[in-house]
Structure formats: C-alpha cells, structure tokens
Amino acid sequence: MSRAVRIEQTGGPEQLKLVDVSVGEPGPGQIRIRHKAVGLNFIDVYHRTGLYSLPLPLQIGMEASGIVEAVGPGVTHLKPGDRAAYASQPPGSYCEVRVMPAMTVCKLPDAIDFDTGAAMMLKGLTAQYLLKRTQPQGGLKPGDHVLFHAAAGGVGLIACQWAKVLGLQLIGTAGSDEKCKLAKEHGAAHVINYAKEDFKERVKEITGGKGVKVVYDSVGKDTWDKSLDCLQPLGLMASFGNASGPVPPFAPGILGAKGSLYVTRQTLFTHIATRENTQSMADELFEVVASGKVKIRIDQRYPLEQVQQAHRDLEARKTTGSTILTL
C-alpha cells in the first residue's frame, strides 16, 4: 500500500485528497520506485483544474526522486537499489510508491541529493530544451538578448543561471522587487518588475531599440501581446505555459506586421519522447548542476499531507524557486 494524492473531479486545491492505494509489480518496460521527495510544478495545477484535461479519477504529479525497488521485463538501464529521478508521463508522482514507465527515469548521480533530484528534473529539463533546443533563426550566440518571463520561478532561476553559463544576456521579468533581486542574484543580466514598469519599453531601452531574439513565456495571456512587440524581426515567441490563463486566439497576419515573427508552443514531453533524448538532456542537466554552475534553489517544502496548501501558495504566486513535497 502507498499513500497517494488523487482527485475525483477537477476544481480547486480542496479536490486534492490523500488516499491509500495498492501498488503492484512492474510489468514490461516498467519500474516500481519508492519516492524520497516529490517535485511540485504549475502543470500540476493545470491537471487539477482541468485546463489540461485527463481522465478521472487522477493521481497527479510529474516529477520525483527515489530508490528503484523492482524492474519489469525489458528494463536494462535501471536495477533495484538504483538512485533515480524523473520527469514523466503519466502523472502520479504525488505518492510514496508507484509503478511507472521506466523510459524517462534516469539514474541520479551520487553528487546530487534526493531533494535536489526531485526539484530539478521537470524544471531543469524544461530550461535545457528552451535554451538549447528552442532557438530562433540562426541560433543563439554569446551576447544575444533573450527575454524570460517568471524569472524567479523554478524554471526561471535555473534558466537565469544556465543562460549566464552560455553567455546570453537574459532579461528576466518578475512581479516584485524581491523576485527581481532573486533573478539578478542567479545570473539574469537585467531584471524588470512588471508590476511597476512597462516591460516592453524597458526591453527596448535595454536592447537599444533592437528587441530580443527570443521570448520564453510561461505566463500566457497577460504577457503575450507585449512580448510580441519585444521581438526583433524574425524573432521567436516560445510559449511553454499559461500561468495567467491561455493565450486567446489571434490572427496570424499580426506576425507579419510585427516583423515576420515565429511562434511555437513547446512541451517537455515532446522532447523526452525517447530514452536516448531523455538521457542526453538529463546528462547535460546533471553535469551543469554537479559542477555547481547551476544551483537548484528549493525555497518551499511541504509534507505530503499539506499538498492543498502547497497548491494554494503556488497559484497565489507566493513561491520562488522550486517546491517539493516531503515524505
């Protein structure tokens, strides 16, 4: 048996119920893992509210770390006793023990502790595919300006540090002076408090009127229109979330009028659809974290039974860095 968080219907944090579930043996291509820590992400809110629709009842959560207890037929990259961490479909990480597909589960290097492993996989792999695999025409080179919204969040703080390693001039936005200070301390070249300043005007000022090559946006509705105006001609608008709500429909013609812009909507799970891609991306993440060049900041820890409060704080934008559930 395992304690697990499940929803019977979509809605607010009160729908998150702690229940006991039976956990069986892993089948072909599966493992059973006993979690040490569980990561919290905004996609969990989308699953809970139904913005991203999934069959109910649903056990939620997308990342965790722990010890492999058993492996099913065909699993060769993991064995019982291995330290492991993952960002993975299907949801279900808010629990003590689970059986799950092995494909996107990676061995966790000894240099990285379980809390860090749980806090870094989904957010760190997201930062990796954004900065290294989601690039504008001609790619990104040292000295290039990029705009990153929600720069003090879990993905944002990793991206600030990684962008600095790559030599990029990351302009980070956040909703308070404290969050801006945090992004700056983690490597953002410039920060903008969008609660006080017009980020479009500040971006133009910072870049000498040129704009940025790419905007990385997990906020959605509230930042979309001005973000397009921050781009250079042929620039790339990379959407990867909807924290303020989904982007409303727009006429493609405006992309031409604003400089023949590119728009893409990215998801991590397209990038980690194969074992080879997952491992390659994870290896880069493990290397940059183990080296100390990118530090995973865990600012909130909640016991599993306080998962409702964790979701309330996440939605109220009270959190910074990464958040984990402890077991």
Side-chain angles (χ1 to χ4, degrees), residues 4 82 102 109 118 132 204 221 229 253 294:
D82 279 348
K132 304 294 284 293
K204 294 293 187 183
K221 176 174 64 69
D229 291 331
V294 170

Side-chain angles (χ1 to χ4, degrees), residues 205-243:
E205 181 183 319
I206 291 166
T207 61
K210 293 180 179 178
V212 298
K213 282 193 171 182
V214 57
V215 177
Y216 296 112
D217 184 10
S218 63
V219 177
K221 176 174 64 69
D222 290 354
T223 49
W224 183 262
D225 291 336
K226 284 187 177 181
S227 291
L228 293 177
D229 291 331
C230 291
L231 287 164
Q232 298 176 11
L234 304 177
L236 173 65
M237 181 69 185
S239 170
F240 67 104
N242 320 275

